Amino acid sequence: MVADRFERFTWRDTYEQSAGLRELAEALEAHHDHATDLLTDVFLAAYKAGPRLREPARMRPSRLVNHQILTQVMASPDFAELRRETVGDPYAAAMAVLAKSAALRRMLESSRGAREQAERAEEALRTAQDAAAAVAEALQRAADRAAANGAAPAAPAESDDGIPASALADAVRRAVEAAEAAGAAARQAAQDAAQAAAGAPGIRAAARHGVAKAAGAVREETALMRAWGVGPGELERMPFDRRARLAERLRTGRLAEWAELIGRFRQMADGERARKVENAPGELVGVTLGDDLSRLIPSELAHLGLPATRAVFAARYAAGELMLYDSRGEQSTGRGAVIACVDTSHSMYAAGPGGVTREAWSKACALALLDQARHADRDFVGILFSAADKVRVFRFPAGRPTGIDQVIDFAETFLGGGTSYQTPLTAARELLEEEFDEAAAVRGDIVMITDDECGVTEEWMRGWKDARRRLGFRVFGLAVGAPRAADAGSVLDALCDNLRSIEDLADVHAAADLFRLI
């Protein structure tokens, strides 16, 4: 593979950082010559913007098998799709090499006979080079003899070293003949090696399978990172070993099989945000009274043009009695923190229609709410709860980078046990009170996600209602796979301003309007 020094430096740096690449190279080198060179070329083929192979005629015979393997890899139908994810990304290119490791082993094993032929060609080339060196030596001795004795006819019949001139000429002639014969043998051996490499059985099929597998692996990891909210820019800045550990954690974690659900939830929430127009009037439905100058009807504006009516306009503005266009639209009213209280009791592990667990749906919704809070520059707090003595609080302040490790910790924590409403809602209320005392922030939003119904004490309910009146927060309830909890008159219904039942856990749009209201 033709590459500049910067590209080769990238390979060396990636190789040093990747234990997997080093282990693969060591394993292949134990049985196949030049295996590390092959890995280098496979990496560069995936990483370079414009990969280009050298001409076979300009390569040593021992490298022709590698050349043929690279040719088949680059000719595979999925190679272009693979490169859409790997070009310019050393980590993705290294991952593609590792994903093709089994295919590379098969190709090297299949080409063992061709490689032996190439070694014979290499030996023939070395013989030809030795013969050429002998010719050069003989010619140099003849030249030295001519320089010492001149070109006169009376030159002595022997040189100073005792070798007759005729013998010296014979040595030159024999060296030239040997060199010609060795060169012809080397050319024939090189042709045989090239034909053997091109005809090695199984290389094309193994290359196609290996590239398809690599493309699938890289595509799945890219989708996995995207589903968890890790953008391309963040990945580029992430050190190789940390990115590898993160990918392994996401692939093997508690919610690994639900990455696609998490990604769909976040996409849905993003689409609902795009539909919501904040601080805009929405659909005009009539005329009302108020003091919003942005919605004045034309006749009111006309009063400002007449000096005699300006005082009347000012008085009506102060009293909030100007005629305005009335409208109906959806706009965000929350300004405080967004708090997601997620039930992690034993029953949340149950699966609903489509095999989606209640926990997976709830965590996917909570992660989408985290994105919602980030978008609106609001604090986000995740409260995981179960029994009265089991609660964990994860805080994600606005304006600060959110570490992916903390996000995964929040998503994968599962407490187990029973269900208590009072413990998480008390924690949420205290957080909103703290926010109010420190920043005078009001109108926070609490989202209660649960699958169970439990009671609360009358004393606690009185304190809860007092806090709602004072802080102005809203409470949204999501009864996940538990229609009974969403019944009118239930405790959850009494706690929430807005309550809905989620029965189809495979449908991420069941709570779509929530992301237009928060």
Side-chain angles (χ1 to χ4, degrees):
M1 184 66 62
V2 178
D4 59 35
R5 60 192 182 98
F6 297 105
E7 292 162 341
R8 295 196 176 277
F9 172 80
T10 300
W11 156 252
R12 289 193 297 271
D13 183 58
T14 304
Y15 183 83
E16 289 299 322
Q17 295 184 62
S18 173
L21 286 177
R22 296 194 301 273
E23 291 170 2
L24 177 60
E26 182 178 354
L28 293 180
E29 285 285 359
H31 304 283
H32 308 283
D33 294 334
H34 317 301
T36 304
D37 293 341
L38 176 61
L39 297 184
T40 304
D41 287 334
V42 173
F43 172 87
L44 293 172
Y47 173 77
K48 282 172 55 68
R52 181 167 58 89
L53 287 172
R54 300 183 189 278
E55 292 296 327
R58 300 180 58 187
M59 300 184 63
R60 299 186 69 87
S62 58
R63 303 300 198 277
L64 289 176
V65 172
N66 286 2
H67 187 281
Q68 182 62 22
I69 290 175
L70 260 293
T71 300
Q72 295 301 329
V73 165
M74 296 174 65
S76 299
D78 294 309
F79 185 67
E81 180 183 354
L82 171 65
R83 282 175 42 78
R84 279 195 289 270
E85 304 291 346
T86 60
V87 171
D89 188 339
Y91 175 87
M95 182 183 173
V97 174
L98 294 173
K100 287 184 278 194
S101 60
L104 292 174
R105 283 190 176 93
R106 288 196 299 272
M107 287 187 280
L108 288 171
E109 288 295 334
S110 299
S111 61
R112 188 177 294 277
R115 193 170 293 276
E116 292 173 356
Q117 182 69 40
E119 290 300 331
R120 287 194 290 271
E122 188 79 15
E123 181 62 30
L125 179 61
R126 285 193 292 268
T127 301
Q129 290 172 340
D130 292 343
V135 170
E137 182 181 355
L139 290 174
Q140 184 62 45
R141 292 175 63 185
D144 293 342
R145 169 75 177 275
N149 299 309
E158 294 183 356
S159 63
D160 294 339
D161 55 9
I163 300 176
S166 59
L168 194 60
D170 289 341
V172 172
R173 184 176 63 256
R174 286 193 302 271
V176 170
E177 291 173 352
E180 291 176 348
R187 287 190 295 273
Q188 183 61 47
Q191 291 177 5
D192 294 342
Q195 292 175 359
I203 286 185
R204 177 176 298 180
R208 291 167 66 97
H209 177 75
V211 172
K213 181 179 179 181
V218 174
R219 184 171 57 248
E220 287 175 7
E221 181 163 312
T222 300
L224 184 65
M225 294 292 185
R226 189 180 297 117
W228 281 91
V230 185
E234 185 177 355
L235 288 177
E236 289 178 3
R237 296 189 298 271
M238 194 177 293
F240 186 96
D241 55 347
R242 183 168 182 268
R243 183 171 172 179
R245 289 195 302 271
L246 173 61
E248 181 64 19
R249 184 179 183 186
L250 293 180
R251 281 194 296 268
T252 59
R254 183 180 183 85
L255 297 181
E257 64 179 303
W258 308 116
E260 190 268 341
L261 173 70
I262 294 170
R264 286 194 294 119
F265 227 115
R266 283 178 142 157
Q267 287 181 340
M268 177 276 294
D270 187 60
E272 294 303 317
R273 278 195 298 274
R275 292 178 56 189
K276 179 176 66 175
V277 181
E278 298 184 4
N279 302 318
E283 177 187 2
L284 297 178
V285 295
V287 176
T288 187
L289 299 179
D291 59 0
D292 187 352
L293 299 179
S294 67
R295 295 191 286 137
L296 284 175
I297 66 174
S299 60
E300 292 285 17
L301 288 172
H303 290 304
L304 291 176
L306 299 174
T309 58
R310 287 176 185 169
V312 176
F313 179 92
R316 292 175 62 198
Y317 172 69
E321 296 179 351
L322 295 173
M323 288 192 293
L324 313 174
Y325 284 120
D326 195 8
S327 62
R328 179 175 58 209
E330 294 174 337
Q331 58 185 30
S332 176
T333 59
R335 290 294 179 269
V338 176
I339 302 177
C341 297
V342 183
D343 188 350
T344 60
S345 60
H346 282 312
S347 58
M348 291 292 285
Y349 195 69
V356 179
T357 66
R358 297 171 183 178
E359 179 200 8
W361 192 95
S362 301
K363 297 289 183 61
C365 182
L367 291 176
L369 288 170
L370 170 58
D371 291 343
Q372 190 84 352
R374 283 174 177 167
H375 181 79
D377 196 26
R378 300 169 64 182
D379 290 349
F380 176 81
V381 181
I383 300 178
L384 305 179
F385 70 94
S386 58
D389 60 341
K390 292 184 178 182
V391 64
R392 283 198 62 183
V393 179
F394 295 82
R395 305 187 69 164
F396 300 86
R400 297 183 190 175
T402 301
I404 182 61
D405 291 329
Q406 186 185 10
V407 174
I408 299 173
D409 288 341
F410 165 63
E412 293 191 342
T413 298
F414 190 83
L415 303 177
T419 304
S420 170
Y421 287 173
Q422 289 186 194
T423 301
L425 292 177
T426 298
R429 184 192 67 198
E430 291 173 350
L431 286 167
L432 292 176
E433 288 174 343
E434 176 186 334
E435 188 179 47
F436 176 78
D437 293 339
E438 293 181 356
V442 294
R443 294 187 296 172
D445 291 316
I446 298 174
V447 181
M448 184 74 169
I449 309 176
T450 183
D451 72 336
D452 203 356
E453 174 75 351
C454 68
V456 296
T457 65
E458 292 184 7
E459 181 182 359
W460 183 89
M461 182 62 84
R462 285 195 296 270
W464 176 255
K465 291 180 178 179
D466 290 342
R468 288 180 65 177
R469 282 193 296 269
R470 183 163 54 90
L471 302 176
F473 59 82
R474 300 178 297 177
V475 183
F476 298 87
L478 297 173
V480 183
R484 183 171 56 84
D487 290 343
S490 67
V491 174
L492 193 60
D493 180 56
L495 291 170
C496 299
D497 303 294
N498 185 308
L499 176 61
R500 71 210 66 197
S501 176
I502 308 298
E503 298 182 12
D504 185 0
L505 302 185
D507 181 14
V508 299
H509 294 277
D513 62 322
L514 182 67
F515 296 90
R516 297 196 300 272
L517 298 173
I518 292 180

